[in-house]
Amino acid sequence: MTARIYVPGDAGAVALGADKVAKAFADAFARRGLDIQIVRNGSRGMFWLEPLVEVVTPFGRRVGYGPVKPSDVETLLDGGMLDGQGGPLSLGNVEKIPFFAKQERFTFKRVGLTDPVSLDDYLAYGGYKGLQRAIELGGPSTVEEVFQSGLRGRGGAGFPTGIKWRTVAATPPQQKYIVCNADEGDSGTFADRMIMEGDPFQLIEGMTIAGLAVGATKGYVYCRSEYPHAIAAMNKAVLAARKAGYLGSRVAGSDYDFDMEIRQGAGAYVCGEETSLLESLEGRRGLVRAKPPLPAHKGLFGRPTVINNVISLASVPFILAEGAKAYADVGFGRSRGTMPIQLAGNVKYGGLYEIAFGVTLGELVDDVGGGTFTGRPVKAVQVGGPLGAYFPTGLFDTPFDYEEFAKRDGLIGHGGIVVFDDTAEMAKMARFAMEFCAVESCGKCTPCRIGSTRGVETLDKVIAGVDRERNLAIVEDLCHTMKLGSLCALGGFTPYPVMSALTHFPEDFGRGSPLSIAAE
């Protein structure tokens, strides 16, 4: 067997120099006459250690080294790296690093372990077991399995996936579609990208199971243009799956047909909203559609359509392979299973951390993330992307759960957590939320299009100290109008960061002490 070392091809690792490290190893092996395969795996999700290089020793152990620079390569090889020898960059067994060891990896269990575009690797690590079971169960029972698992949409809304599938499955037989929303535009989020780059076959399998379950024969992945590595990996995996009979006619030897394509978006944040995405996918400008009709009844090209986020669909193979109970047995309240939480911003240990629902916000920021990168006190964290609320440390006892966050006027969103230290100016962060909405609005509805623009202008007056109380009252009124009157979540959720900043950090707006933030 040819010896292997693993150098991540994940875009995050590449941004930190992984391509240069891989080339340095290839050049060194050529000079030394060594026949060693370099596998461009997915990232383990510990970005402060990237590029994280792993070697499989002659004894079968997998030993990590990182962060590795091209200039470290010769020293590592001279020091016995290929035999798993130690050194200043040696990390030992990567899966025993505390950040990794405490995780519950259901969806990301293969990411970092395999060659992402090798179907043989995917099958060797349990791939397509979920599809085989779905074929045995048939469509209706597969839908019920997903429903019983308690899986909810991981894109932000948290809507039960099984109910969405039931609705599409109940429509009369006709052309139906599976659409994967991979337009991951939230700040501080990268879970979708990591799955597509690190385990693309899992998403393909999840979409295939969805098609089988509801009677859809065609699928589309709508991926943002800023993800070229993900698009390339998905296209390679789709070709390999089709060649091996896992896509196309009679999938995996069954009586079911399903095929899929990857489509690239043009960079509009609002196209993360499902109806705007459908408009773009059909070749039109990404404008939000009014509901009803729901996409489950009249979606892509006017046909019944399941629209799910990448993580929602990538969770399905585990549920089918291991059973609904195995997934539903972990979690908190109505939030079942695991959530890939993404730690970003001013945080010491940034990366992806998959854990069961119920862990507190404080545990994630302080214990897992290690506090701020700067070493200064944490002032606020924004959970759920640019439309998420800012939580102060006084709310760090909040369990990571859809309903618990909602009780405190917050959102889980896509699971992104962006950390800010005590130098952050929250009035400016509130202004940014309004500006973001103004720039990204599709323009279809007045509360979003005009409200956000007036919000920027009014917050500029507040920051400048002009008639503060009167202008803050206008901001509050604008937020109320946008929340209740906007056509989609872009305008409807922008008030969350604005009002949370004003509520929890009034001193940053020229007001007195913070309002009470104690849980009722």
Side-chain angles (χ1 to χ4, degrees), residues 55-113:
V55 59
V56 179
T57 71
F59 306 102
R61 290 193 305 124
R62 190 155 166 161
V63 180
Y65 300 83
V68 176
K69 301 187 296 293
S71 58
D72 297 323
V73 169
E74 293 291 349
T75 302
L76 285 169
L77 293 175
D78 290 340
M81 173 189 183
L82 299 179
D83 293 321
Q85 297 299 311
L89 297 180
S90 177
L91 302 168
N93 183 343
V94 170
E95 295 185 3
K96 291 184 178 180
I97 295 171
F99 183 96
F100 195 97
K102 295 177 182 178
Q103 297 187 45
E104 295 176 83
R105 288 210 162 191
F106 287 7
T107 308
F108 280 77
K109 63 180 180 179
R110 271 180 299 266
V111 176
L113 281 175

Side-chain angles (χ1 to χ4, degrees), residues 186-457:
D186 285 353
S187 49
T189 61
F190 40 85
D192 291 355
R193 177 187 61 73
M194 283 184 64
I195 279 288
M196 290 187 288
E197 293 175 5
D199 198 8
F201 289 107
Q202 182 168 235
L203 177 56
I204 294 168
E205 183 181 0
M207 292 182 67
T208 307
I209 292 170
L212 178 158
V214 306
T217 57
K218 184 71 175 182
Y220 293 93
V221 176
Y222 184 92
C223 186
R224 61 187 309 217
S225 59
E226 295 91 340
Y227 281 179
H229 296 80
I231 292 168
M234 287 300 304
N235 278 320
K236 287 179 183 177
V238 164
L239 288 174
R242 189 179 293 132
K243 184 177 180 180
Y246 287 104
L247 287 174
S249 301
R250 299 181 58 81
V251 167
S254 70
D255 293 330
Y256 299 97
D257 298 341
F258 185 79
D259 211 339
M260 59 184 285
E261 299 176 25
I262 315 303
R263 293 292 176 88
Q264 180 174 312
Y269 179 82
V270 75
C271 286
E273 193 278 332
E274 61 181 11
T275 64
S276 181
L277 183 156
L278 292 177
E279 287 288 298
S280 178
L281 198 53
E282 291 178 9
R284 291 187 289 273
R285 182 183 171 193
L287 292 176
V288 175
R289 297 176 182 175
K291 300 177 188 176
L294 296 171
H297 293 132
K298 189 176 180 182
L300 186 64
F301 305 120
R303 301 292 185 173
T305 303
V306 167
I307 306 178
N308 282 138
N309 163 262
V310 170
I311 301 300
S312 307
L313 290 163
S315 300
V316 168
F318 176 92
I319 291 167
L320 268 295
E322 304 299 329
K325 187 176 184 299
Y327 197 82
D329 277 350
V330 303
F332 182 95
R334 289 175 50 213
S335 303
R336 310 314 304 168
T338 62
M339 184 72 177
I341 294 162
Q342 300 122 91
L343 294 165
N346 189 343
V347 64
K348 187 174 182 181
Y349 301 124
L352 184 133
Y353 191 84
E354 185 178 358
I355 192 71
F357 284 98
V359 61
T360 68
L361 185 56
E363 289 175 299
L364 290 167
V365 175
D366 295 329
D367 300 340
V368 176
T372 65
F373 179 79
T374 56
R376 300 181 66 92
V378 174
K379 181 172 184 176
V381 295
Q382 187 176 33
V383 183
L387 307 182
Y390 289 103
F391 275 22
T393 55
L395 292 182
F396 272 20
D397 62 341
T398 309
F400 212 84
D401 164 76
Y402 291 102
E403 282 66 42
E404 292 298 321
F405 264 69
K407 286 178 186 176
R408 297 183 168 188
D409 292 325
L411 308 164
I412 280 180
H414 188 41
I417 298 177
V418 179
V419 181
F420 298 86
D421 71 12
D422 61 354
T423 63
E425 299 177 54
M426 302 312 295
K428 291 183 178 179
M429 300 310 297
R431 182 196 183 281
F432 171 77
M434 284 291 192
E435 182 184 27
F436 181 86
C437 181
V439 170
E440 295 293 345
S441 175
C442 76
K444 188 166 185 176
C445 71
T446 302
C448 176
R449 182 183 72 251
I450 303 299
S452 56
T453 302
R454 296 290 88 83
V456 172
E457 294 168 355

